[in-house]
Amino acid sequence: MLNSYFARAFAWLKTAGGITVATAAVLLVAGTIDRGPYILVNTVVTGGMLGLVAMGLAVILGVLNIAQFAHGEYFMIGGLSAYYVIRPLHAYLDAHPSAFLAMVAPFIAMITATLVGGLAGAVTERVCFNPLRKRSRANWVMNSFLLTVGISVVLVNGDQLLFGTDFKGITHYWPGVVSIAGVFMSVDRVMTFILSLVIVTGFWIFMKYSRTGQAIRAVAQDEMGALMVGINLEWIMVLTMSIGCAMAAVAGASLLFMYPSYPTVGLEPLYMAWFVVILVGLGNVMGALIGGFMVSLLKVLTLEYIGAGWEFVVPSVIIILVLIFKPSGVFGSEVRSVLDQ
Amino acid sequence: METGVSKHEMGFFSSVLDRLCLTPLGALLLVLLALLPLIPPFNQQYLLRWLTIVALSAASAIAFDLTAGFINIVNFGYAAILGLGAYTSAILAVRTGLSPWIGIFVGALASGLLGFLTGLLTLRLRGIFAAVMAWFIGLALMGLAIKMVWLTRGPLGLRVPRMFDTSSNEPYYYMMIVMLLVVYVICRWVTRSKMGLAFKAIGQNMEAARTSGVNPTYYRIVNFTLSCTIAGWLGGFYAHYMGILTPDLMHTSKTVEVLAVVYIGGRGSLWGGAFLAFPFLIAMELVRSGFSNLPGLHLVIYGVILILVMIYLPGGIASLYYRFLYKPWGKFWEFMVGYKEND
């Protein structure tokens, strides 16, 4: 029994995915020993949220076959909505201190951001992608990709137009620091990590066990078949887009203390999320979570050992290598044939 | 390509136009462009400067369309490749004192080489993968331009010797118009030869093209190399015209600007983007300066138009021309100057 487990584990370690994960783990341990535990902490904290953004991207890719270029903009929308909710709440708290409200206020902001992001995604699907889908499915992947480029331009500049270019950030959601394994870190970071785990678990349960989640997976596998068994395709499309965008938005909201909201804030998360998605294979949703941690580790190590500014160069080089030698990603992907057109 | 009219049936005028791949209307517009610096609102230096930049965008739109419209691969690193040409030429001029007139061709060569490599690297990839690959190559290039401060001075900006010893914009403007024409004619010659047919075949259905004996590898690399060479050449001009270079030039948003012009103008038409660039970019500039209290408004309009065109008018402005104006105009010009369109 045990032997067969070991055999399977070794077999997995010899696959591309296994090698990558093992290398990442070794690097993480080595970096932590060499430079201190904050490497581990930084990786884990940003990795969870990056995984969330990338999972949104992967869901949209897998189900709707849309290569989102505007995904960072939903991250921005999330941060923006959270900012406009948390600011008045913080102002109110300063005037009327209340321990309970101080605990709950950030959640109110994040939930608002999630709803706004989900709504924005649904509206985008109805206003932009649905008409295009009705008009023509020919060359869909490329056309929808270019459509998202237009959406990105509109959202970035609409934000600039309506809210200005200044940095809208907060210093903290929850005040205070905690000490874990000798590292002091803000409560915000710990909460962010916990939150990302909770959301991912919730999402996994939803996809695995609920009827709607199963319907979404059915559409991802075979659109025609899903239509034949009576799945409401249009509703699934709206819902998926909405979920994907809401995931980006909640990440933007909970990382507001690290990424203040301004029009082009979405570029870095977008770039990192694309990096994750290509690394693990397009449309591979659960792989995106692991990928999020690996990419986050890579970013932290690049910043630590090579220096600031190189975090754009090093991942780009790696992704080019991935695309050359393993275009389907380290964990493989089922939707490649669709996207290959 | 076989034509309806053989060469010696055409008059002198028609045959010249045919060599230049222009319709009489196109030639007329070109003459108008050449006269523009004499017409009152445009004889001011700052407007002329703006017109030069617009013409540069028009020319880069043509080269972008050669890849996007024909082999159906969106080169998302286009701006970075243009920037590579600009930096190569600029650094050569600054470090070795090489004349800009030679430098821009060396820059073109460098960009062409990178285009060749990109073409090689994206061989196994299709559609969206190739676009993403080109995007990441572009990001890497921009990152290098920012970080290699000892060479490029990074965001501080590299001062570049200018091409002409004059502060006036006229020489640059005319040079740019000539470059625009050259780029157009090269791309047109290529696309109306058998090679253009092969490009279209690959863009529409690679398997079918391969089955019919078209070698996708060869044509994709040729296409990428040509498009990037032209981009590098234009980049060299940009460097020696602006006199200062920052890595901003290589930003993805610059690619998006060119992409929007190409797709609104009409993919696969070559002239669509170039034609549209002039009225469209000038109108956008008017919106930008007219509503300076609303920054970003012009780009919102830009994006909305791009979205609308992508959904409702996939062929862009060029398709409107072919649908409504092509036949009546053809008759009109045939009557007026005896010109008969060839392709």
Side-chain angles (χ1 to χ4, degrees):
Chain A
M1 182 67 199
L2 204 62
N3 264 345
S4 85
Y5 264 126
F6 275 122
R8 271 169 60 195
F10 272 117
W12 179 75
L13 271 178
K14 276 185 225 156
T15 64
I19 293 170
T20 323
V21 172
T23 317
V26 169
L27 279 177
L28 181 61
V29 172
T32 309
I33 292 169
D34 187 32
R35 294 289 166 109
Y38 68 97
I39 299 269
L40 176 73
V41 170
N42 279 349
T43 304
V44 163
V45 169
T46 47
M49 279 299 153
L50 180 59
L52 217 55
V53 179
M55 275 169 81
L57 197 63
V59 165
I60 294 172
L61 258 168
V63 180
L64 289 92
N65 298 326
I66 295 172
Q68 264 270 50
F69 188 75
H71 208 59
E73 274 56 73
Y74 297 95
F75 182 93
M76 177 268 287
I77 286 177
L80 198 66
S81 345
Y83 174 80
Y84 279 107
V85 173
I86 197 78
R87 277 296 296 269
L89 282 175
H90 271 172
Y92 177 83
L93 272 172
D94 285 342
H96 315 267
S98 135
F100 175 70
L101 189 61
M103 188 67 212
V104 178
F107 287 115
I108 299 176
M110 285 173 200
I111 290 169
T112 318
T114 315
L115 293 178
V116 172
L119 188 70
V123 169
T124 319
E125 157 65 25
R126 290 309 291 179
V127 173
C128 297
F129 296 116
N130 198 37
L132 179 64
R133 200 178 286 120
K134 280 205 177 116
R135 202 191 143 81
S136 150
R137 294 298 297 255
N139 207 359
W140 164 258
V141 177
M142 213 62 223
N143 283 343
S144 60
F145 174 64
L146 293 167
L147 197 56
T148 63
V149 172
I151 293 167
S152 160
V153 172
V154 169
L155 288 178
V156 166
N157 294 288
D159 179 23
Q160 186 186 353
L161 193 61
L162 297 174
F163 300 101
T165 47
D166 49 334
F167 285 66
K168 290 175 275 293
I170 54 170
T171 49
H172 61 267
Y173 275 119
W174 291 277
V177 286
V178 288
S179 158
I180 296 172
V183 194
F184 288 97
M185 47 181 182
S186 61
V187 183
D188 284 351
R189 291 183 182 236
V190 183
M191 286 303 282
T192 300
F193 174 64
I194 296 173
L195 206 67
S196 66
L197 286 192
V198 169
I199 293 170
V200 167
T201 316
F203 178 72
W204 185 76
I205 292 172
F206 168 76
M207 287 296 266
K208 188 97 183 166
Y209 297 108
S210 80
R211 279 191 72 81
T212 323
Q214 287 169 342
I216 291 179
R217 286 191 294 144
V219 174
Q221 278 171 10
D222 185 351
E223 221 168 80
M224 218 37 157
L227 202 59
M228 264 188 265
V229 294
I231 290 171
N232 185 346
L233 213 55
E234 293 211 345
W235 160 241
I236 294 292
M237 300 260 176
V238 173
L239 187 72
T240 313
M241 191 74 189
S242 180
I243 292 174
C245 294
M247 283 169 122
V250 74
S254 52
L255 288 179
L256 187 60
F257 62 93
M258 282 172 78
Y259 294 88
S261 183
Y262 59 98
T264 50
V265 66
L267 199 64
E268 201 206 317
L270 169 79
Y271 164 74
M272 288 295 168
W274 262 104
F275 182 29
V276 171
V277 162
I278 290 191
L279 181 70
V280 300
L282 269 76
N284 189 332
V285 178
M286 280 307 154
L289 182 67
I290 306 167
F293 288 106
M294 293 197 296
V295 171
S296 171
L297 170 72
L298 184 71
K299 192 183 154 193
V300 170
L301 290 181
T302 310
L303 279 174
E304 184 65 35
Y305 287 95
I306 305 181
W310 290 99
E311 73 263 26
F312 264 67
V313 181
V314 175
S316 296
V317 172
I318 291 181
I319 206 157
I320 290 166
L321 294 178
V322 171
L323 276 171
I324 295 170
F325 294 109
K326 198 100 176 62
S328 57
V330 291
F331 298 130
S333 134
E334 290 123 34
V335 291
R336 178 133 199 265
S337 55
V338 187
L339 298 168
D340 235 355
Q341 291 153 12
Chain B
M1 202 180 289
E2 286 304 308
T3 60
V5 212
S6 63
K7 289 269 192 268
H8 40 82
E9 270 178 61
M10 291 191 289
F12 172 72
F13 184 64
S14 295
S15 94
V16 168
L17 281 183
D18 186 58
R19 286 278 158 73
L20 294 176
C21 316
L22 289 166
T23 62
L25 181 64
L28 209 64
L29 288 174
L30 206 66
V31 171
L32 182 70
L33 273 186
L35 292 178
L36 216 50
L38 306 172
I39 303 168
F42 295 104
N43 53 9
Q44 299 161 54
Q45 287 297 323
Y46 80 95
L47 275 175
L48 206 57
R49 189 177 173 79
W50 180 243
L51 269 180
T52 314
I53 298 293
V54 171
L56 184 71
S57 306
S60 33
I62 295 174
F64 186 84
D65 197 21
L66 186 67
T67 323
F70 284 84
I71 60 170
N72 208 4
I73 289 175
V74 180
N75 184 353
F76 238 69
Y78 188 75
I81 286 170
L82 193 142
L84 176 73
Y87 268 110
T88 310
S89 179
I91 289 167
L92 279 176
V94 171
R95 288 290 165 100
T96 66
L98 189 71
S99 153
W101 296 96
I102 306 166
I104 63 171
F105 290 99
V106 181
L109 225 68
S111 289
L113 190 66
L114 187 73
F116 175 75
L117 290 177
T118 315
L120 271 183
L121 293 179
T122 55
L123 270 184
R124 284 176 62 191
L125 310 171
R126 297 191 186 171
I128 195 75
F129 289 88
V132 169
M133 175 94 164
W135 183 32
F136 279 88
I137 289 178
L139 280 173
L141 265 184
M142 188 177 89
L144 284 178
I146 293 174
K147 288 312 287 183
M148 283 161 63
V149 179
W150 54 274
L151 189 63
T152 64
R153 283 176 48 81
L156 293 170
L158 182 69
R159 290 203 144 275
V160 188
R162 298 186 82 207
M163 222 164 212
F164 299 102
D165 270 338
T166 162
S167 61
S168 101
N169 285 297
E170 272 91 356
Y172 293 101
Y173 178 70
Y174 284 111
M175 183 173 169
M176 192 59 236
I177 296 294
V178 172
M179 284 172 81
L180 174 64
L181 185 66
V182 168
V183 169
Y184 175 75
V185 169
I186 291 176
C187 291
R188 203 62 177 172
W189 272 352
V190 168
T191 54
R192 78 175 177 181
S193 67
K194 274 191 183 142
M195 197 175 258
L197 211 59
F199 287 162
K200 281 224 145 147
I202 293 168
Q204 277 162 9
N205 189 335
M206 199 192 270
E207 297 312 321
R210 187 178 286 152
T211 317
S212 331
V214 178
N215 179 0
T217 314
Y218 171 71
Y219 287 106
R220 277 175 69 161
I221 290 182
V222 167
N223 187 307
F224 248 90
T225 312
L226 182 60
S227 167
C228 293
T229 309
I230 294 172
W233 192 44
L234 296 169
F237 174 84
Y238 177 89
H240 295 292
Y241 174 53
M242 298 307 280
I244 189 151
L245 267 186
T246 56
D248 267 357
L249 171 68
M250 304 165 100
H251 200 264
T252 313
S253 63
K254 301 285 179 207
T255 308
V256 170
E257 277 171 29
V258 175
L259 181 148
V261 167
V262 168
Y263 278 81
I264 298 171
R267 61 186 105 162
S269 71
L270 288 183
W271 59 267
F275 167 76
L276 181 86
F278 287 92
F280 185 67
L281 292 180
I282 289 170
M284 286 297 124
E285 176 63 14
L286 286 180
V287 171
R288 194 184 69 85
S289 53
F291 296 88
S292 52
N293 52 337
L294 297 173
L297 179 67
H298 68 295
L299 287 170
V300 172
I301 299 176
Y302 213 88
V304 169
I305 295 178
L306 177 62
I307 293 175
L308 289 177
V309 166
M310 285 309 300
I311 300 177
Y312 296 107
L313 193 68
I317 303 293
S319 73
L320 286 183
Y321 169 80
Y322 284 120
R323 202 183 302 163
F324 297 114
L325 282 175
Y326 187 60
K327 274 198 176 151
W329 275 96
K331 289 232 168 71
F332 174 73
W333 287 110
E334 202 181 331
F335 178 71
M336 291 297 284
V337 291
Y339 169 84
K340 200 154 185 196
E341 181 133 19
N342 207 342
D343 51 357

